[in-house]
Amino acid sequence: MITAKIDMHLCSMRLINVKAFLEREGLIRRGKRVDRRAKVLEFGDDEVTEYAILSHRWTEQEVDYNEVVKLAKMDEEERSEIRQRDGYRKILQSCEQAKKDGYKWLWIDTCCIDKRSSAELSEAINSMCRWYENSRICYAYLHDVHDSSFPIAWDDETYPKSTGGWPEWFSRGWTLQEMIAPRDVQFFNKDWHSIGDKRSLSSTLEVITRVPQHILKEGLSSNRPCVAQIISWAANRRTTRVEDRAYSLMGLLDVNMPMLYGKGKKAFHRLQLEIIRASNDQSIFAWGCSPTNVRAGSILADDPSFFRDCAKMELMNRDEFIGSLKKRFPGEELPSIEDDRFGTFPVTNRGIQIWLFLCPHVDSDPVFQAWLPCRSHPSVPPVAIHLALWESTYYRYTAAGRGQMGRLQLRHVSLRYQDTPRRNSTFEIDDSVMLKEGFTSLVTCPERLITGNTVTVSTTDPVCVKLYSCRQEYHFVVSFGQCFGQNWIHVVCGGPDNPLSLCSSSYFQMLARAPKYAQSMNKACSGAAGYRVCIMETRIPQSTWILQTSCVMWNSSRMCGVRLEVFRDPGFGDVSGEWRGFDVDGTDDSNRDWRGLMIPHRPTEQRSCEPFLDGVSMKFSYAPNIIKLGDYGHFTDSGYFRCEGNLLADCKSLSLKANIAPREHKIFTRSRLHIDSAIMSGLVMAYDSGAFIPLYKPLCQSLPANDDFKSLLVSLSTRLTNRYLVTGVIQCPPRLPGFGTEQWYNIAKPFVWHRNSEGAFSVVGGAMRWNAG
């Protein structure tokens, strides 16, 4: 016998007293006085109470706990509004059915949980699967079925709100456990006419839900499927709140965890981690073996839909697994496996620690194929997923494609389970130089990712390829991508045949090898104090053309400026095709014209000083010869700068209307000793290799950074390839008669003047020659 005095903590299930509810309704209907103290909801123990339970699709007209409890105390108008709702009539008809079947107690989720209490709601959700399992009968109310028989064929017109053309009840997340857990499920149509039960309809239910008949008839305890198969049943189901896609599966997967709404898909990540902590079922990693989209990141799936292809997944015992690998790799000696390390994988802050059999991809070093002790169908080989190694952690990678594999090896690895950043990357492309040389852009794939000269990629669209051609003789594809948050660019060249085929094949090739290209570019970009320009040169086959790809990335905006240029090459030596990084002067400002950036150069055999310029520390090299601001030239084999001309003088002699007036800077002392006397005598102390040196009445000038000056650098880029430019000069007049002028200078190579890597070409006596060394 259940009484209201039973402690909620001992019997935490709140039940409808069917008799009390119907009596109250009868009194209200007849206009009789209602006892306001009569209780229609009481606590009970699901282990010993015989009760019925309702499974249904929620609507906007449900009646909650507070409304059911206080109905007798409401005024007539408010009470009438509640009693006219579909949700109230559903409770009433459920009670009438329970009374007819001989049950005194009924549980309905809309009104038996006080959702104002987060603790009660969390306890109820964690207990709900057990409550359905312990019920004596479950009423499955199909509100959109009007016929007197159970539907046996999908019908999109009759059920437009559902997934797959079946009643909406079959498309909801919570009803999955409400169908599987109870021993007896009775289906009712809109008018509460019985249309069948779970056992007799098991073959039709298997078609609709993909849940095997033996599970529908005997429950999960009879022959429990693997984790991946259970989650696959929820792949096509929906919930109103994203988090409930995870919470509605807890009971079926036999895990418990607190409810945290507002976390979105992280709830499903938390669910998977709880499963991993509680079991050694590696099928939880087997999702997405036939991916419909590209994904790189956490080893955990974002959503149950990722397990859609796991409906027939089953675990393999140790002997089956090893035997299958031996058949697949007959020429290799498999390492022995200890049961304890093979079946455990603890979760740490670094990742999920696990032993896996891995095969590296020959054509993409960071990508591996990992074999799991489960299979997608009976009598087939084990499931293989793809992983990508990035900074000592293995990430899930679902765009690896096919290719030659290396030797099978057993490794202890850390699998990344934390979510990876999801953001777009933008590439601004300047290919004007190429177009002037007769090259044309033929096609971009996917075309939706490019607007004008701007390509935008994301985690869901991580690659865009752009096909170029020169008079239909030479073709190459430039690929722009993002992988693990790292932007990357790669070039693939092809012959004159089937340029569109080259574009298509390159797209899928880039998807498969993206981790390799991302790591190559990340290596070139790393180590810069500020930021750096990366340059790669690619020889176009069967031609004298060299394609130079240059890029700079601004960390603050995720924007990458890309310049594509072609130039003739006499054919001496090989082009590496590798990225090289060059530190550049400037700030992390995407509004700056990156084509005018300077690549600093420090002569190794010369002294240096480091004064304060306008309050900022700057390093200058000692000039043994007379050097003027704006001088350009080259370094001789002995390491001395040889001037070939001067930008300021050239601009004046050519009567160019360009504003390139030098900027003047104030130099402040670096010494705290005798500051007053030093300033009065005209001396400024500058730091030099651990000591302070005096600069006498220094005058500092630098080249401007305005648009006119940048345009001048670009216009001279062809004539002054690989030349150096004096960008700043400090001049100190003689302190005593007979002493010469002392000079210090900054020298750099403008980015737009750079053609080849350092040492590939050298300039001697004004002529360019090949440096074989």
Side-chain angles (χ1 to χ4, degrees), residues 434-455:
M434 268 196 338
L435 301 181
K436 290 178 182 178
E437 293 289 351
F439 285 78
T440 58
S441 176
L442 295 182
V443 67
T444 303
C445 178
E447 191 173 357
R448 65 178 180 275
L449 301 183
I450 188 166
T451 303
N453 283 330
T454 300
V455 169

Side-chain angles (χ1 to χ4, degrees), residues 46 50 70 114 225 354 364 387 397 414 424 437 464 541 585 670 672 685 768:
D46 63 287
E50 294 186 358
K70 295 184 176 181
D114 186 357
I354 187 171
S364 186
L387 305 173
Y397 194 65
S414 296
N424 295 345
E437 293 289 351
C464 181
D585 290 334
R670 290 296 300 265
R672 289 295 180 187
M685 309 304 289
M768 184 175 289

Side-chain angles (χ1 to χ4, degrees), residues 755-767:
R755 276 285 183 256
N756 268 341
S757 59
E758 297 291 335
F761 290 95
S762 62
V763 181
V764 180

Side-chain angles (χ1 to χ4, degrees), residues 245 304 323 606:
R245 297 208 69 185
Q606 297 177 15

Side-chain angles (χ1 to χ4, degrees), residues 124-136:
I125 291 177
N126 276 280
S127 306
M128 200 173 295
C129 189
R130 188 186 79 241
W131 291 349
Y132 275 92
E133 184 179 7
N134 289 338
S135 67
R136 294 299 185 265

Side-chain angles (χ1 to χ4, degrees), residues 182-225:
R183 286 165 291 181
D184 184 7
V185 178
Q186 298 289 331
F187 291 95
F188 292 84
N189 69 2
K190 181 178 177 64
D191 299 321
W192 278 90
H193 294 150
S194 177
I195 55 175
D197 66 272
K198 181 171 71 168
R199 283 182 171 272
S200 62
L201 294 170
S202 60
S203 60
T204 302
L205 292 175
E206 182 177 21
V207 173
I208 300 173
T209 66
R210 303 195 301 173
V211 179
Q213 289 190 53
H214 73 87
I215 298 295
L216 295 170
K217 292 180 179 180
E218 307 298 333
L220 286 172
S221 58
S222 62
N223 185 13
R224 190 175 186 86

